[in-house]
Amino acid sequence: MNQEYEPEATRRHASATESSQASRGWWDRNADEYQSEHGAFLGDDRFVWGPEGLDEERAGLLGPAEGLKGRRILEIGAGAAQCARWLAAQGAHPVALDLSHRQLQHALRIGDAADGTAAGGVELVEADAGALPFRDGAFDMACSAYGAIPFVADPVRVLREVRRVLRPGGRFVFSVTHPIRWAFPDEPGPEGLSVAASYFDRTPYVEQDESGRAVYVEHHRTVGDRVRDVVAAGFRLVDLVEPEWPDENTQEWGGWSPLRGYLIPGTAIFVCVAE
Ligand SMILES: C[S@@+](CC[C@H](N)C(=O)[O-])C[C@H]1O[C@@H](n2cnc3c(N)ncnc32)[C@H](O)[C@@H]1O
């Protein structure tokens, strides 16, 4: 970690404001490391849903690629906007939103390198997913690969915001850590295979500095919670995809590994339609 103190990991309450401030700071400080560690796996303009490596080209969760042409698509928690660049390559008009300035600087850097235009045909917006700076119905679709939702205290607020800026019938597809993973230590090896905590304990995971200030926060929801959140926000859930670990993927990503991937799901992808 790119900071002087060694944060203490704990489970405790974290408010919406504290979570948002922690995320902004953490991703600004760690964007360089995240992109240098995972950038090659993500690819500059692939749309990867999670560490299993399932990509949108194969999965088609936003619908057939031909149907993306001309669509206005919002990506939340876009990081360096790899997914949005893939959407742009299909002829869509993507907007990549993230609360981390440093992540978006990586989007500019990669966009520049890929085709000479800033951000590779993707509009970049620095904002919190809990307060989207767009008019009602501005987008045809929305997506998020592990962006924003796992890090916010009030996911229904984010989902309602996404619902608001989508036209009726518009799809929102988002991936998060599979909720079952919360019951296991976040370790790629055999120690990550034994249940160590209650799946039903929603107390957030918090890393805090010496003064007790949160510097990293993740929030846990069970599968049932996520389904209820999606419905409460005005979506219909049409699929819940649990990508299986493919033989050809030998790469570890934090606690995601082939060993664990063969045995327990690591990613949950919610496919939702705005009612
Ligand atoms: C795990 S990264 C995923 C980035 C990208 N989607 C990818 O697949 O590499 C999570 C991203 O969510 C962003 N994020 C976290 N909380 C957010 C919030 N409240 N609003 C917008 N973005 C947020 C972080 O800044 C970070 O870029």
Side-chain angles (χ1 to χ4, degrees), residues 26-58:
W26 196 90
W27 287 100
D28 276 345
R29 283 190 306 278
N30 291 279
D32 294 4
E33 192 180 319
Y34 178 84
Q35 297 302 335
S36 77
E37 198 176 334
H38 303 298
F41 181 81
L42 292 169
D44 283 353
D45 48 12
R46 262 181 85 205
F47 187 142
V48 180
W49 283 111
E52 294 80 9
L54 178 69
D55 65 24
E56 179 58 13
E57 186 150 9
R58 266 182 301 156

Coordinates of all heavy atoms in Angstrom, one line a residue, residues 26-58:
W26 N -8.6 5.9 -1.0 CA -7.9 4.6 -1.3 C -7.6 4.5 -2.8 O -6.5 4.1 -3.2 CB -8.7 3.5 -0.7 CG -7.9 2.2 -0.6 CD1 -7.1 1.8 0.5 CD2 -7.7 1.2 -1.6 NE1 -6.5 0.6 0.2 CE2 -6.8 0.2 -1.1 CE3 -8.1 1.1 -3.0 CZ2 -6.4 -0.9 -1.8 CZ3 -7.7 0.0 -3.7 CH2 -6.8 -1.0 -3.1
W27 N -8.6 4.7 -3.6 CA -8.4 4.5 -5.0 C -7.5 5.5 -5.6 O -6.8 5.2 -6.6 CB -9.8 4.4 -5.7 CG -10.5 3.1 -5.4 CD1 -11.5 2.9 -4.5 CD2 -10.1 1.8 -5.9 NE1 -11.8 1.6 -4.4 CE2 -11.0 0.9 -5.3 CE3 -9.2 1.4 -6.9 CZ2 -11.0 -0.5 -5.6 CZ3 -9.2 0.0 -7.2 CH2 -10.1 -0.9 -6.5
D28 N -7.5 6.8 -5.1 CA -6.5 7.7 -5.6 C -5.1 7.3 -5.2 O -4.2 7.4 -6.1 CB -6.8 9.1 -5.0 CG -7.8 9.9 -5.8 OD1 -8.1 9.5 -6.9 OD2 -8.4 10.9 -5.2
R29 N -4.9 6.8 -4.0 CA -3.6 6.3 -3.6 C -3.1 5.1 -4.3 O -1.9 4.8 -4.5 CB -3.5 6.1 -2.1 CG -3.4 7.4 -1.2 CD -3.1 7.0 0.2 NE -4.0 6.1 0.8 CZ -5.2 6.4 1.3 NH1 -5.7 7.6 1.3 NH2 -6.0 5.5 1.8
N30 N -4.1 4.2 -4.6 CA -3.7 2.8 -5.1 C -4.0 2.6 -6.5 O -3.8 1.5 -7.0 CB -4.5 1.8 -4.2 CG -3.9 1.8 -2.8 OD1 -2.9 1.2 -2.5 ND2 -4.5 2.5 -1.9
A31 N -4.5 3.6 -7.3 CA -4.8 3.4 -8.7 C -3.6 3.0 -9.5 O -3.7 2.0 -10.3 CB -5.4 4.7 -9.3
D32 N -2.4 3.5 -9.2 CA -1.2 3.2 -10.0 C -0.9 1.7 -9.8 O -0.7 1.0 -10.8 CB 0.0 4.0 -9.5 CG -0.2 5.5 -9.8 OD1 -1.3 5.9 -10.3 OD2 0.7 6.3 -9.6
E33 N -1.0 1.3 -8.5 CA -0.6 -0.1 -8.2 C -1.7 -1.1 -8.8 O -1.4 -2.1 -9.4 CB -0.6 -0.3 -6.7 CG 0.0 -1.6 -6.3 CD 0.0 -1.7 -4.7 OE1 0.3 -0.7 -4.1 OE2 -0.3 -2.8 -4.2
Y34 N -3.0 -0.7 -8.7 CA -4.1 -1.5 -9.3 C -3.9 -1.7 -10.8 O -4.0 -2.8 -11.3 CB -5.4 -0.8 -9.0 CG -6.6 -1.5 -9.5 CD1 -7.2 -2.6 -8.8 CD2 -7.2 -1.2 -10.7 CE1 -8.3 -3.3 -9.3 CE2 -8.3 -1.8 -11.3 CZ -8.9 -2.9 -10.5 OH -10.0 -3.5 -11.0
Q35 N -3.6 -0.6 -11.5 CA -3.5 -0.7 -12.9 C -2.2 -1.4 -13.3 O -2.2 -2.2 -14.3 CB -3.5 0.7 -13.6 CG -4.8 1.5 -13.4 CD -6.1 0.7 -13.9 OE1 -6.0 -0.1 -14.8 NE2 -7.2 1.1 -13.3
S36 N -1.1 -1.2 -12.6 CA 0.1 -2.0 -13.0 C -0.1 -3.4 -12.7 O 0.4 -4.3 -13.4 CB 1.4 -1.3 -12.4 OG 1.5 -1.7 -11.1
E37 N -0.8 -3.8 -11.6 CA -1.0 -5.2 -11.3 C -2.0 -5.9 -12.2 O -1.8 -7.0 -12.6 CB -1.4 -5.3 -9.8 CG -1.2 -6.7 -9.2 CD -1.6 -6.7 -7.7 OE1 -1.5 -5.6 -7.0 OE2 -1.9 -7.8 -7.2
H38 N -3.1 -5.2 -12.5 CA -4.2 -5.9 -13.1 C -4.5 -5.4 -14.6 O -5.3 -6.0 -15.3 CB -5.5 -5.7 -12.4 CG -5.4 -6.2 -10.9 ND1 -5.2 -7.5 -10.6 CD2 -5.5 -5.5 -9.8 CE1 -5.1 -7.6 -9.3 NE2 -5.3 -6.5 -8.8
G39 N -3.7 -4.3 -15.0 CA -4.0 -3.7 -16.3 C -3.8 -4.7 -17.4 O -4.7 -4.8 -18.4
A40 N -2.8 -5.6 -17.4 CA -2.6 -6.5 -18.5 C -3.8 -7.5 -18.6 O -4.2 -7.9 -19.7 CB -1.3 -7.3 -18.3
F41 N -4.2 -8.0 -17.4 CA -5.4 -9.0 -17.4 C -6.6 -8.3 -17.9 O -7.4 -8.9 -18.7 CB -5.6 -9.5 -16.0 CG -6.7 -10.5 -15.8 CD1 -6.5 -11.8 -16.1 CD2 -7.9 -10.1 -15.4 CE1 -7.5 -12.7 -16.0 CE2 -9.0 -11.0 -15.2 CZ -8.8 -12.3 -15.5
L42 N -6.9 -7.0 -17.5 CA -8.1 -6.3 -17.9 C -8.0 -6.0 -19.4 O -9.0 -6.0 -20.1 CB -8.2 -5.0 -17.1 CG -8.6 -5.2 -15.6 CD1 -8.4 -3.9 -14.9 CD2 -10.0 -5.8 -15.5
G43 N -6.8 -5.7 -19.9 CA -6.6 -5.3 -21.3 C -7.0 -3.9 -21.4 O -7.9 -3.4 -20.7
D44 N -6.5 -3.2 -22.4 CA -6.8 -1.8 -22.5 C -8.2 -1.5 -23.0 O -8.8 -0.5 -22.6 CB -5.8 -1.1 -23.6 CG -4.5 -0.9 -23.0 OD1 -4.3 -1.1 -21.7 OD2 -3.6 -0.4 -23.7
D45 N -8.8 -2.4 -23.7 CA -10.1 -2.2 -24.2 C -11.0 -3.5 -24.3 O -11.7 -3.7 -25.2 CB -10.1 -1.5 -25.6 CG -9.2 -2.1 -26.5 OD1 -8.7 -3.3 -26.3 OD2 -8.9 -1.5 -27.6
R46 N -10.7 -4.3 -23.3 CA -11.6 -5.5 -23.1 C -12.7 -5.1 -22.1 O -12.5 -4.2 -21.3 CB -10.8 -6.7 -22.5 CG -10.4 -7.7 -23.6 CD -9.6 -8.8 -22.9 NE -10.5 -9.9 -22.4 CZ -10.2 -10.7 -21.3 NH1 -9.0 -10.5 -20.7 NH2 -11.0 -11.6 -21.0
F47 N -13.7 -5.9 -22.0 CA -14.8 -5.6 -21.0 C -14.8 -6.9 -20.2 O -15.5 -7.9 -20.5 CB -16.1 -5.4 -21.7 CG -17.2 -5.0 -20.8 CD1 -18.1 -4.0 -21.2 CD2 -17.4 -5.5 -19.5 CE1 -19.2 -3.6 -20.4 CE2 -18.4 -5.1 -18.7 CZ -19.3 -4.2 -19.1
V48 N -14.1 -6.9 -19.1 CA -14.0 -8.1 -18.2 C -14.9 -8.0 -17.0 O -14.8 -6.9 -16.3 CB -12.5 -8.3 -17.8 CG1 -12.4 -9.5 -16.9 CG2 -11.6 -8.5 -19.0
W49 N -15.7 -9.0 -16.7 CA -16.7 -8.8 -15.6 C -16.1 -9.2 -14.2 O -16.6 -8.8 -13.2 CB -17.9 -9.8 -15.9 CG -18.8 -9.2 -16.9 CD1 -19.1 -9.7 -18.1 CD2 -19.7 -8.1 -16.7 NE1 -20.0 -9.0 -18.8 CE2 -20.4 -8.0 -17.9 CE3 -19.9 -7.2 -15.7 CZ2 -21.4 -6.9 -18.1 CZ3 -20.8 -6.2 -15.9 CH2 -21.6 -6.1 -17.1
G50 N -14.9 -9.9 -14.2 CA -14.3 -10.2 -12.9 C -13.1 -11.1 -13.1 O -12.7 -11.4 -14.2
P51 N -12.5 -11.5 -11.9 CA -11.2 -12.2 -12.0 C -11.3 -13.6 -12.7 O -10.3 -14.1 -13.1 CB -10.9 -12.4 -10.5 CG -11.6 -11.4 -9.8 CD -12.9 -11.1 -10.6
E52 N -12.5 -14.1 -12.9 CA -12.6 -15.3 -13.7 C -12.2 -15.1 -15.2 O -11.9 -16.0 -15.9 CB -14.1 -15.9 -13.6 CG -14.5 -16.3 -12.3 CD -15.0 -15.2 -11.4 OE1 -15.1 -14.1 -11.9 OE2 -15.2 -15.4 -10.2
G53 N -12.4 -13.8 -15.6 CA -12.0 -13.5 -16.9 C -13.1 -13.5 -17.9 O -12.9 -13.3 -19.1
L54 N -14.4 -13.8 -17.5 CA -15.5 -13.8 -18.4 C -15.6 -12.4 -19.0 O -15.6 -11.4 -18.2 CB -16.8 -14.1 -17.6 CG -18.1 -14.0 -18.5 CD1 -18.1 -15.2 -19.5 CD2 -19.3 -14.1 -17.6
D55 N -15.7 -12.3 -20.3 CA -15.8 -10.9 -20.9 C -17.1 -10.7 -21.6 O -17.8 -11.7 -21.9 CB -14.6 -10.5 -21.7 CG -14.4 -11.4 -22.9 OD1 -15.4 -12.0 -23.4 OD2 -13.3 -11.5 -23.4
E56 N -17.5 -9.5 -21.8 CA -18.8 -9.2 -22.4 C -18.9 -9.6 -23.9 O -19.9 -10.0 -24.3 CB -19.0 -7.7 -22.3 CG -20.3 -7.2 -22.9 CD -21.6 -7.8 -22.3 OE1 -21.5 -8.5 -21.3 OE2 -22.7 -7.7 -22.9
E57 N -17.7 -9.7 -24.5 CA -17.7 -10.2 -25.9 C -18.4 -11.6 -25.9 O -19.1 -12.0 -26.8 CB -16.3 -10.3 -26.4 CG -16.2 -10.6 -27.9 CD -15.0 -10.0 -28.6 OE1 -14.2 -9.4 -27.9 OE2 -15.0 -10.1 -29.8
R58 N -18.0 -12.5 -25.0 CA -18.5 -13.9 -24.9 C -19.9 -13.9 -24.2 O -20.8 -14.6 -24.6 CB -17.6 -14.8 -24.1 CG -16.6 -15.5 -25.0 CD -15.7 -16.4 -24.2 NE -15.0 -15.7 -23.2 CZ -14.5 -16.2 -22.1 NH1 -14.7 -17.4 -21.8 NH2 -13.8 -15.4 -21.3

